[in-house]
Amino acid sequence: SQPCWSEYLTTRIEQNMVVNCTCPISECRAQPTTAFICSIVSSEEIIAKYEKALLRGYVECCSNLTWCTNPQGCDQILLKDGFGYGAACSKCSWISCFNCNFPEAHYPASCSHMSHMTCAKCNHGFCWRCLKPWRPTHKDYYNCSAMVSKAAWQEKRFQDYNERCTFHHHAREFAVTLRNRVSSISEMPKIRTLTFVLDACKVLEQARKVLAYSCVYSYYNQDTESMDIVEQQTESLELHTNAL
């Protein structure tokens, strides 16, 4: 009967289980169509939730589509490109990474850098997501017999890079806050345009982001020759960023 179907479909929609749901009769594998569901369910709120479930299912099925990963919340759908990250979200300007679960693009640090953790005492590498060894061919996974002096040096090195990375993230938040404050001022009547300040804040935000992830890149990079160049470029960028 229609009341039974309405109650059944409403429950499935509210429990986010409507996609691919079948007839409630156990031996029947027929799936209700969108037209049938819309004719049975009368609540506009429930129908809106059903349409969101359809959209979510469609995005999850398409390998070239993804949701914006802005941690502040954004419902924009993004089209993946072939470079690992795309253009800024047209709705919130957030830049996502399409190759890993880290919430934003993290150039110049690679995706592996964002997952790779290292024990400060024995230098054991592991993935922070699954906790499995980072190098399967390494035999002494849990051999923590390294000298204390080396462990102390490793810990100090990590703390230095971590502090630099944290500083740049905080400085980036300052740029975002400043841009938002200037935006609210520029919307007031009889106030001269402040576009140049907004542009400077955007550049400052991007520069701080690159500097933060440069710390991650430098921490894991073992090539001394290339690191000299990277550190020089990073130092130059930091000087110009501080000036800005």
Side-chain angles (χ1 to χ4, degrees):
S1 65
Q2 182 167 334
C4 293
W5 266 107
S6 179
E7 183 178 353
Y8 169 70
L9 292 173
T10 298
T11 301
R12 298 285 292 194
I13 293 171
E14 288 180 336
Q15 294 177 350
N16 292 318
M17 299 172 60
V18 67
V19 178
N20 297 326
C21 78
T22 58
C23 174
I25 300 177
S26 58
E27 61 269 19
C28 180
R29 308 310 302 166
Q31 295 183 341
T33 64
T34 298
F36 177 77
I37 292 175
C38 291
S39 68
I40 293 293
V41 180
S42 58
S43 170
E44 293 183 1
E45 182 180 350
I46 298 298
I47 289 297
K49 191 169 185 178
Y50 167 64
E51 291 175 345
K52 286 184 178 180
L54 286 181
L55 179 61
R56 186 169 57 250
Y58 176 74
V59 173
E60 291 174 356
C61 289
C62 294
S63 59
N64 64 332
L65 296 179
T66 187
W67 297 100
C68 176
T69 57
N70 189 334
Q72 300 301 320
C74 180
D75 57 0
Q76 189 77 346
I77 298 172
L78 306 179
L79 177 65
K80 297 181 181 180
D81 60 22
F83 299 101
Y85 60 92
C89 173
S90 60
K91 186 172 183 179
C92 69
S93 300
W94 188 261
I95 304 178
S96 305
C97 178
F98 295 152
N99 291 332
C100 69
N101 293 327
F102 198 73
E104 70 173 346
H106 40 73
Y107 179 84
S110 68
C111 293
S112 62
H113 289 156
M114 307 314 296
S115 304
H116 189 181
M117 300 298 290
T118 305
C119 174
K121 185 175 181 180
C122 70
N123 208 32
H124 163 61
F126 62 95
C127 174
W128 71 266
R129 292 192 179 92
C130 66
L131 302 182
K132 292 182 179 179
W134 192 257
R135 292 173 295 173
T137 56
H138 182 53
K139 301 301 180 184
D140 301 320
Y141 296 149
Y142 307 104
N143 179 18
C144 288
S145 60
M147 296 180 62
V148 175
S149 58
K150 182 179 179 181
W153 177 83
Q154 289 277 16
E155 183 176 359
K156 179 64 168 59
R157 182 171 179 269
F158 172 79
Q159 288 177 349
D160 289 343
Y161 278 108
N162 186 55
E163 288 175 3
R164 287 169 56 189
C165 184
T166 302
F167 168 79
H168 290 304
H169 275 307
H170 287 165
R172 175 187 175 190
E173 292 174 3
F174 164 79
V176 174
T177 302
L178 180 60
R179 177 158 58 90
N180 291 336
R181 292 176 61 187
V182 173
S183 295
S184 62
I185 294 174
S186 63
E187 292 173 359
M188 295 174 61
K190 298 181 181 179
I191 296 295
R192 194 176 158 191
T193 179
L194 297 173
T195 304
F196 70 98
V197 181
L198 295 174
D199 290 342
C201 288
K202 290 178 182 179
V203 172
L204 189 60
E205 179 185 349
Q206 181 64 22
R208 289 298 184 188
K209 176 183 174 181
V210 172
L211 285 168
Y213 291 121
S214 291
C215 295
V216 180
Y217 176 84
S218 298
Y219 177 75
Y220 286 112
N221 199 311
Q222 302 297 320
D223 188 340
T224 305
E225 185 175 348
S226 67
M227 277 312 302
D228 289 341
I229 300 175
V230 171
E231 291 289 355
Q232 289 175 9
Q233 293 178 335
T234 302
E235 183 178 353
S236 177
L237 175 59
E238 189 166 359
L239 287 172
H240 285 86
T241 303
N242 291 338
L244 178 61

